[in-house]
Amino acid sequence: MTTPSLNSSVARAFSRHRYNLLDLVLLGAAVATFFLADLYLALATAVLIMVVFALSLDIAQGYGGIETLGHAAFFGTGAYAAGLYAMHVSPEPISGLFVGMAAAAVVGLLSGLAVLRTAGLTQIMLTLVCATLLLELANVAKPLTMGDDGLTGYSVAPVLGLFQFDIEGRTAYWYALAVLVLVYAFCKFLVSSPLGLTAQGVRENPTRMALLGVPVRRRLLTLYAISAALGGAAGALSAQVNNIVGLDSLGFTMSANVLVMLALGGTGRLYGAFLGAIVFMLLADRAAALDPTNWLAALGVLLIVVVRFAPTGLSGCLARWTSREGTQ
């Protein structure tokens, strides 16, 4: 039986941004997955990549209150940038990862100048327009991106010059896990930094923050660019691990999927990105295996149930439950 003190610790973990036992549990589960589920490393690697992507969205939406339905713009930009870098400049993966992040950050800065001038439905539609424009650009630029055939024909060098990407996906898994750990550590720092705290204040009451002298638009633009860079990291990882970049990396489905992941896990809590991505990816994989035609129905039912009975997501539900148990 779970002790009240442990429940209280878990509850505090969902509401605070310090390292705690829950972080160690997540890391231990990731390491155990490598040894206990070696036949599913490709799926596990995809889950890690989507956790990075969900974290990037949570920074913009959960902490900055920036409504977006086009976050795939940054995932796809990072993927194409990393793929083109590997093909034409260097196959070295770590520099390719930073190239993908830089390219996505530039897209975030440029699009943010327009997106952050609006709010509500207009803001949502502008983010969708940005992603759609990039999708069409990638489609028509066939000499560069290979269009709907997908960007292929590039190779990725061993990580740090030592660890060759293998067919079993072992190196890819550890590489993705290492990137996730670094991204998560950065997000932990960011949300507790002055930038992250003022962004949360802007999310709650932008007028009051402006009256306090906070440069609201500049702070949100910085946060949006950082979120874009992290989304680009997820895209670059996907390009390097899979050795292909398709138009779907910029598509609406990619944006919608990560939004559903965050809705399932809960926004404004970094753990929500983990819970949402894991549940979404595993359920999608099992549902598609059982019923390739109607597998989306299972995700739809789960989303309806979570929104109806746990509007703050799975992480919010767990935080409330552990807090209640800890006070008994």
Side-chain angles (χ1 to χ4, degrees), residues 5 64 99 103 193 199 204 220 239 326:
S5 59
V99 166
S193 69
E204 297 299 328
L220 289 183

Side-chain angles (χ1 to χ4, degrees), residues 132-219:
T132 303
L133 287 174
L134 286 173
L135 172 63
E136 291 304 316
L137 178 62
N139 189 31
V140 299
K142 290 187 177 180
L144 185 65
T145 65
M146 301 183 187
D148 52 9
D149 291 329
L151 181 65
T152 57
Y154 62 89
S155 59
V156 181
V159 180
L160 300 176
L162 300 172
F163 307 103
Q164 180 71 47
F165 286 92
D166 53 281
I167 194 171
E168 293 86 1
R170 291 186 172 90
T171 298
Y173 182 81
W174 286 116
Y175 178 48
L177 179 59
V179 173
L180 172 57
V181 169
L182 292 175
V183 167
Y184 177 60
F186 174 76
C187 289
K188 280 271 194 180
F189 166 77
L190 177 66
V191 299
S192 299
S193 69
L195 172 62
L197 294 174
T198 53
Q200 293 172 61
V202 171
R203 178 196 63 194
E204 297 299 328
N205 195 325
T207 302
R208 177 177 292 179
M209 295 302 290
L211 291 175
L212 291 174
V214 175
V216 171
R217 188 173 298 170
R218 191 191 313 161
R219 292 294 173 88

Side-chain angles (χ1 to χ4, degrees), residues 33 35 63 126 144 156 170 178 187 203 267 283 294 310:
T33 298
F35 295 102
Y63 289 91
L126 276 178
L144 185 65
V156 181
R170 291 186 172 90
C187 289
R203 178 196 63 194
T267 60
L283 181 61
N294 303 305

Side-chain angles (χ1 to χ4, degrees), residues 29-48:
V31 173
T33 298
F34 178 82
F35 295 102
L36 301 178
D38 57 329
L39 296 178
Y40 298 94
L41 285 183
L43 174 61
T45 302
V47 170
L48 296 178

Side-chain angles (χ1 to χ4, degrees), residues 66 111-119 123 126 217 220-222 224:
I66 303 170
S111 62
L113 293 174
V115 167
L116 298 177
R117 290 179 178 274
T118 62
Q123 187 175 82
L126 276 178
R217 188 173 298 170
L220 289 183
L221 182 60
T222 303
Y224 195 59

